[in-house]
Amino acid sequence: MQELDVTPDRLAGTWHILCSTFPMWLHGGRTDATFTYTPLPSGSSGASRMRDEVGYRSRGRRRRILGVDTRLTERPGTVYRWRGRGLLAALSSEWEVREVGAGDAWAVIVFSRSLVTPAGADAVVRAEHLTDRGVVADALEAGARHQARQVPGFTHQG
């Protein structure tokens, strides 16, 4: 498999989770899940960083989980360490971009377990490509390669 170099600038923006292995997205209580990445200045070590906001709807209200991702440059490929903010500051996990679609329209993110979450995979599509049937089909196919199932409530928007 070719190693990817997916920088914070390439990840910047909002991504919708289309399929996942993560129980939080598959049980239907949390819907409309998104990741929003915003590049930050490099840390003291010089490693690339970005703000990481996970958004979702639960019981009719929009919720969010905040963290910071730091690129682990000593690892091959595109690996980041997520560290929670606020009450979640003690939590961390590693994640990697395993696949990207043409024009970075979709991606597959594989993540390690944390103290409170299992390991898994998400297939995500940029917000501006949700109406593109070809992009969505490619992302769903990529997710299936990682045993990810379509999340409840996702319907094609185009």
Side-chain angles (χ1 to χ4, degrees):
M1 177 183 346
Q2 180 183 9
E3 289 181 11
L4 298 174
D5 183 20
V6 184
T7 64
D9 287 336
R10 282 181 68 185
L11 288 169
T14 299
W15 301 77
H16 289 257
I17 301 173
L18 300 189
C19 53
S20 183
T21 63
F22 192 49
M24 185 167 161
W25 309 135
L26 295 174
H27 294 273
R30 293 176 182 97
T31 60
D32 190 26
T34 60
F35 298 146
T36 301
Y37 299 116
T38 306
L40 294 171
S42 295
S44 59
S45 68
S48 300
R49 300 179 325 136
M50 62 189 161
R51 181 175 190 263
D52 182 323
E53 180 176 328
V54 178
Y56 61 93
R57 188 165 298 287
S58 178
R59 297 183 190 146
R61 292 183 55 200
R62 192 78 183 154
R63 313 262 184 193
R64 64 188 187 149
I65 299 168
L66 299 176
V68 171
D69 300 308
T70 302
R71 179 111 184 237
L72 302 179
T73 55
E74 70 278 4
R75 302 268 303 275
T78 299
V79 181
Y80 289 88
R81 176 173 291 120
W82 175 85
R83 168 86 51 202
R85 289 294 177 241
L87 295 174
L88 301 179
L91 299 178
S92 71
S93 68
E94 291 183 6
W95 60 274
E96 177 179 2
V97 179
R98 286 277 175 87
E99 297 186 48
V100 292
D104 294 341
W106 60 265
V108 173
I109 296 169
V110 176
F111 48 91
S112 68
R113 68 181 297 279
S114 75
L115 281 173
V116 296
T117 62
D122 295 321
V124 296
V125 170
R126 286 190 182 278
E128 59 269 25
H129 293 287
L130 280 176
T131 58
D132 185 320
R133 290 186 185 278
V135 168
V136 169
D138 289 348
L140 291 171
E141 184 178 304
R145 286 193 291 274
H146 295 271
Q147 290 72 52
R149 298 190 333 252
Q150 189 168 325
V151 297
F154 173 76
T155 55
H156 188 271
Q157 317 239 337

